[in-house]
């Protein structure tokens, strides 16, 4: 029989799985191991996503240099497809990476650029680590430029080879990635898994990060991992992480969390609506007249409920965190207002600036 959960229990499972309850994690690696990835995004209305995600979970002990150290010095994390991931996930990703590309168009492009591929690998082998700008474009076939890349084919080739596990990001110069051969970046003693076993273990790790997820969901593909569950008021068939289920018996306190719009806790929009009653829309790409909460407003989680949106921006010229508005979905109680105020002031202290506009 499936486990029968209340809405409150399901939300608590999600909050705890995403490390957003009162028991904060100790360091960067602990966060990555639990939630699976730390999204990289340069939009820094307050701070870039990777740093905001870590501050939101760790709190004041987090310093930005800790992330670079975990990636570049300790090699406990690696950068792959727009996120920092724990090195323990790499063996589970490699079987699928080695099958890339599966689709015909990128496959044809790679085949047509066989010599270009060898040129890039040879250059890295001889001179790496290198920035993309330091590698000549010797492509035989070109992909059309898009909104992300120009006509230079080197970034396309590096991305392709990274997805294949042949090259890897060794570090960053600001926002620019420095590349090297994967064999010089990734550990050489990683365990090997057959593709089917790797996919099963990867589904289990996704469920660990989600806590509870719809059984068939493109947003949180957990398949048959974990155990079957139902949630009151929902017709969905869920899978729940057994460890998260067992932890329900432990006391758990909530807190206030300010979430970057690209935070992993917000990724599964249908689940947000189904369990939290929160229909989240990122307004970054909407015309200004159509925005309700602000260009890059941060959802406010209080305990196990989303209660509002914070529209704020770090003014680097004036060196102040400017709060434009706090949008309350329902009027806050005085204690709730005080808790939110304290969290925003802590955010300003972490940024090293005073807070303005906070009532």
């Amino acid at each position: 029989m499936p486990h029968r959960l209340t809405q409150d229990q399901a939300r608590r499972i999600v909050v705890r799985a995403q490390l957003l309850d009162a028991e904060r994690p100790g360091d960067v690696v602990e966060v990555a191991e639990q939630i699976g990835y730390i999204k990289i995004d340069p939009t820094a209305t307050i701070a870039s996503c990777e740093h905001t995600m870590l501050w939101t979970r760790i709190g004041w002990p987090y310093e930005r240099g800790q992330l670079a150290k975990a990636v570049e010095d300790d090699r406990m994390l690696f950068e792959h497809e727009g996120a920092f991931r724990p090195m323990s996930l790499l063996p589970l990703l490699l079987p699928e990476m080695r099958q890339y590309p599966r689709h015909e168009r990128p496959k044809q492009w790679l085949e047509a650029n066989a010599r270009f591929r060898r040129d890039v690998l040879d250059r890295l082998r001889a001179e790496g680590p290198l920035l993309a700008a330091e590698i000549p474009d010797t492509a035989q076939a070109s992909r059309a430029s898009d909104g992300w890349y120009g006509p230079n084919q080197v970034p396309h080739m590096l991305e392709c080879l990274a997805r294949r596990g042949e090259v890897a990001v060794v570090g960053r110069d600001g926002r620019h990635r420095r590349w090297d051969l994967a064999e010089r970046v990734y550990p050489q003693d990683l365990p090997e898994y057959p593709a089917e076993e790797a996919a099963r273990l990867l589904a289990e790790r996704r469920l660990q990060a989600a806590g509870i997820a719809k059984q068939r969901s493109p947003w949180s593909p957990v398949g048959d991992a974990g155990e079957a569950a139902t949630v009151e008021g929902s017709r969905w068939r869920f899978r729940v992480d057994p460890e998260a289920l067992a932890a329900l018996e432990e006391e758990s306190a909530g807190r206030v969390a300010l979430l970057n719009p690209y935070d992993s806790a917000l990724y599964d929009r249908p689940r947000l609506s189904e369990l939290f009653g929160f229909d989240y829309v990122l307004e970054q790409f909407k015309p200004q007249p159509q925005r309700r909460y602000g260009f890059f407003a941060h959802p406010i989680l209080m305990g196990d409920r989303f209660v509002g949106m914070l529209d704020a921006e770090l003014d680097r010229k004036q060196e102040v965190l400017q709060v434009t508005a706090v949008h309350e979905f329902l009027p806050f109680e005085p204690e709730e207002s005080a808790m939110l105020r304290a969290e925003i002031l802590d955010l300003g202290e972490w940024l090293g600036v005073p807070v303005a506009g906070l009532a």
Side-chain angles (χ1 to χ4, degrees):
M1 288 291 291
H3 298 282
R4 299 173 64 86
L5 302 173
T6 65
Q7 287 270 348
D8 287 346
Q9 288 174 323
R11 286 194 295 266
R12 282 187 2 237
I13 285 174
V14 173
V15 169
R16 179 175 280 181
Q18 280 291 305
L19 301 175
L20 295 171
D21 61 343
E23 188 176 345
R24 292 181 182 265
D27 58 35
V28 169
V29 177
E30 184 180 344
V31 172
E33 287 285 356
Q34 172 58 33
I35 68 175
Y37 72 92
I38 300 166
K39 171 72 175 173
I40 302 168
D41 185 83
T43 310
T45 305
I46 294 177
S48 57
C49 183
E50 59 270 29
H51 294 301
T52 312
M53 282 184 65
L54 290 166
W55 175 79
T56 295
R57 287 159 175 81
I58 299 171
W60 65 265
Y62 172 66
E63 299 176 0
R64 295 169 191 248
Q66 294 169 0
L67 178 57
K69 181 176 184 298
V71 175
E72 300 176 21
D73 299 336
D74 301 338
R75 298 279 183 234
M76 299 297 290
L77 307 182
F78 69 102
E79 182 176 338
H80 182 63
E81 293 194 326
F84 295 113
R85 306 171 192 271
M87 196 64 75
S88 62
L89 276 184
L90 181 57
L92 309 184
L93 295 171
L94 281 172
E96 181 67 22
M97 290 165 65
R98 289 166 181 154
Q99 298 299 314
Y100 183 86
R102 292 181 180 271
H103 297 295
E104 198 59 33
R105 186 176 178 184
K107 186 182 295 185
Q108 290 176 354
W109 181 85
L110 189 62
E111 290 172 351
N113 281 300
R115 190 183 69 200
F116 178 32
R117 172 177 168 271
R118 289 195 299 271
D119 290 345
V120 171
L121 292 173
D122 288 345
R123 179 66 64 123
L124 288 173
R125 185 172 291 107
E127 302 178 21
L130 296 172
L131 300 172
E134 297 171 325
I135 301 173
D137 182 357
T138 61
Q140 293 87 53
S142 297
R143 292 173 55 178
S145 60
D146 55 26
W148 299 101
Y149 296 107
N152 190 324
Q153 299 298 294
V154 173
H156 290 303
M157 179 57 74
L158 289 170
E159 292 281 2
C160 181
L161 296 179
R163 289 191 175 99
R164 289 168 58 86
E166 296 183 55
V167 306
V169 179
V170 69
R172 284 182 171 248
D173 291 357
R175 282 286 164 187
H176 298 287
R177 292 170 291 182
R178 192 168 287 280
W179 300 85
D180 205 347
L181 299 178
E183 64 197 49
R184 298 202 290 232
V185 179
Y186 297 152
Q188 296 303 298
D189 57 349
L190 294 172
E192 290 279 344
Y193 294 100
E196 188 174 328
E197 183 180 3
R200 177 182 61 80
L201 294 172
L202 194 57
E204 290 178 358
R205 290 292 295 269
R206 291 195 193 101
L207 185 57
Q208 169 190 297
I212 183 171
K214 187 179 181 181
Q215 184 167 12
R216 299 286 179 258
S217 167
W219 298 87
S220 300
V222 300
D224 294 324
E227 299 175 3
T230 62
V231 176
E232 66 173 350
S234 174
R235 293 185 175 184
W236 287 11
R237 295 180 179 180
F238 289 90
R239 303 298 293 185
V240 63
D241 178 17
E243 292 190 12
L245 199 62
L248 278 176
E249 299 177 5
E250 304 171 9
E251 289 189 11
S252 177
R255 62 179 175 88
V256 174
L258 306 174
L259 301 183
N260 184 285
Y262 288 109
D263 194 290
S264 60
L266 303 170
Y267 179 71
D268 191 337
R269 300 285 205 274
R271 188 184 65 163
L272 277 181
S273 179
E274 187 75 4
L275 297 182
F276 291 85
F278 181 38
D279 296 316
Y280 176 53
V281 176
L282 175 61
E283 298 183 326
Q284 180 180 8
F285 303 107
K286 282 189 170 188
Q288 186 171 1
Q290 296 179 20
R291 294 176 190 151
R292 185 177 181 184
Y293 299 119
F295 169 76
F296 210 62
H298 287 43
I300 302 167
L301 179 70
M302 195 170 292
D304 63 3
R305 296 178 186 275
F306 288 93
V307 298
M309 303 286 286
L310 171 66
D311 185 9
E313 182 175 1
L314 176 60
D315 187 330
R316 289 168 176 80
K317 289 185 179 180
Q318 299 296 324
E319 296 186 340
V320 64
L321 177 62
Q322 182 66 51
V323 176
T324 302
V326 173
H327 300 280
E328 304 175 15
F329 296 156
L330 294 173
F332 290 170
E333 297 291 334
E335 182 181 359
E336 294 173 330
S337 296
M339 290 168 59
L340 176 59
R341 179 184 177 84
E343 189 71 7
I344 296 172
L345 291 174
D346 283 350
L347 175 59
E349 185 175 352
W350 174 65
L351 295 167
V353 298
V355 177
L358 186 60

